[in-house]
């Protein structure tokens, strides 16, 4: 707690910076807007029993076989070789995913989840579940780190924008003494009139648009389409 008796709110813009933050005394929100954390909340919202995030494709295949789960994931924005399903939220409608276990590996998001393992609690956030995330963070009264998965450790626009959107919504409840939180909120305030158009200059927008995934991008930038809170417990994500 800070001197103001409010918990602190900080933004970590890349996994490469996470070691600089007090993870053990914070709730960490893992943010990988395009597309891991958008897909996770969508799958859980549509009735998935759980999502198991794993680091490698090999691990994904092995666990999927062992438990009869759906194996999915991407590398560099495309379905990873050896997996049947990718990282598009549109691949996980209720009629497909309900009561199923999704085993998921992604380029950036799953790595960040495992890095934050010592946190008080880990949740995942993206625009489709922004209200659930904000309500939870306010209700807990704990220090918060908004952890951007970024792109191969490089800061990215979409995760920073989401962090800024969260800061904008909940800052009155927290003590903010963090330049990256201030910067993220300023970026969000610049973009909020039309986030989709603003995102067209982003590297990952261009990467995914090259694969014809504009619909995915639009969904991942739209608030509250899958308003559920994924909680990370015992190596798996469940709907809170």
């Amino acid at each position: 707690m800070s001197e103001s008796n409010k918990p602190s709110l900080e933004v970590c813009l890349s996994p490469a910076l996470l070691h600089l933050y007090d993870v053990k005394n914070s709730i960490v929100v893992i943010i990988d807007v395009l597309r891991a954390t958008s897909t996770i909340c969508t799958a859980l919202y549509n009735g998935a029993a759980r999502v198991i995030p794993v680091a490698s494709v090999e691990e994904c295949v092995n666990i999927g076989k062992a438990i009869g789960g759906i194996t999915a994931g991407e590398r560099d924005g495309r379905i990873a070789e050896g997996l049947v399903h990718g990282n598009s939220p549109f691949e996980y409608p209720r009629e497909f995913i309900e009561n199923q276990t999704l085993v998921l590996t992604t380029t950036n998001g799953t790595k960040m989840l495992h890095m934050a393992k010592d946190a008080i609690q880990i949740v995942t956030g993206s625009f489709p579940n922004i209200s659930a995330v904000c309500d939870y963070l306010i209700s807990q009264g704990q220090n918060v780190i908004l952890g951007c998965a970024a792109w191969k450790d490089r800061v990215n626009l979409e995760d920073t924008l989401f962090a800024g959107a969260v800061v904008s919504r909940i800052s009155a409840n927290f003590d903010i003494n963090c330049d990256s939180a201030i910067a993220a909120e300023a970026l969000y305030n610049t973009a909020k009139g039309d986030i989709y158009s603003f995102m067209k200059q982003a590297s990952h927008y261009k990467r995914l648009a090259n694969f014809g995934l504009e619909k995915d991008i639009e969904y991942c930038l739209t608030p509250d389409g899958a308003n559920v809170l994924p909680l990370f417990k015992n190596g798996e994500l469940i709907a809170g």
Side-chain angles (χ1 to χ4, degrees):
M1 289 282 173
S2 65
E3 288 172 17
S4 69
N5 289 326
K6 290 181 182 177
S8 67
L9 176 60
E10 298 177 297
V11 172
C12 174
L13 293 173
S14 160
L17 299 170
L18 192 63
H19 68 283
L20 302 172
Y21 293 81
D22 185 10
V23 170
K24 283 183 179 171
N25 292 303
S26 307
I27 292 169
V28 176
V29 182
I30 305 296
I31 302 162
D32 189 1
V33 170
L34 297 179
R35 294 165 292 163
T37 57
S38 297
T39 297
I40 287 163
C41 68
T42 301
L44 291 171
Y45 183 76
N46 287 332
R50 57 187 174 155
V51 179
I52 301 176
V54 297
S56 72
V57 173
E58 185 184 14
E59 200 181 353
C60 187
V61 171
N62 291 342
I63 291 173
K65 274 184 187 160
I67 65 169
I70 293 165
T71 57
E74 53 78 28
R75 287 294 178 270
D76 299 333
R78 309 194 78 160
I79 295 177
E81 199 173 327
L83 299 177
V84 181
H85 297 280
N87 197 22
S88 169
F90 294 114
E91 290 187 71
Y92 305 102
R94 183 169 291 275
E95 57 270 20
F96 174 63
I97 197 65
E98 192 165 24
N99 299 321
Q100 300 283 335
T101 294
L102 179 64
V103 189
L104 183 70
T105 180
T106 70
T107 306
N108 306 291
T110 45
K111 169 187 162 188
M112 185 75 162
L113 263 167
H114 294 293
M115 285 176 70
K117 67 182 188 303
D118 294 331
I120 293 171
Q121 176 66 60
I122 298 173
V123 301
T124 65
S126 60
F127 287 101
N129 72 331
I130 186 170
S131 292
V133 168
C134 290
D135 291 347
Y136 173 76
L137 296 177
I138 291 169
S139 74
Q140 296 303 296
Q142 303 268 12
N143 296 334
V144 171
I145 298 166
L146 303 176
C148 300
W151 177 260
K152 299 181 179 178
D153 285 344
R154 295 184 180 203
V155 172
N156 68 14
L157 271 186
E158 61 273 15
D159 296 347
T160 306
L161 281 169
F162 176 78
V166 173
V167 172
S168 171
R169 286 196 186 199
I170 70 173
S171 59
N173 300 85
F174 291 85
D175 182 54
I176 298 176
N177 183 23
C178 169
D179 287 7
S180 48
I182 294 163
E185 185 180 16
L187 186 73
Y188 170 70
N189 286 334
T190 299
K192 67 184 178 185
D194 187 352
I195 287 180
Y196 184 77
S197 293
F198 187 84
M199 268 297 296
K200 286 184 177 176
Q201 60 196 314
S203 60
H204 204 31
Y205 177 98
K206 293 169 186 170
R207 202 175 290 114
L208 294 177
N210 281 339
F211 305 143
L213 293 169
E214 292 90 345
K215 200 172 111 182
D216 276 35
I217 298 167
E218 196 159 3
Y219 172 83
C220 293
L221 298 174
T222 303
D224 295 338
N227 206 21
V228 69
L229 184 76
L231 293 166
F232 189 56
K233 289 187 173 169
N234 304 318
E236 56 191 46
L237 289 146
I238 53 169

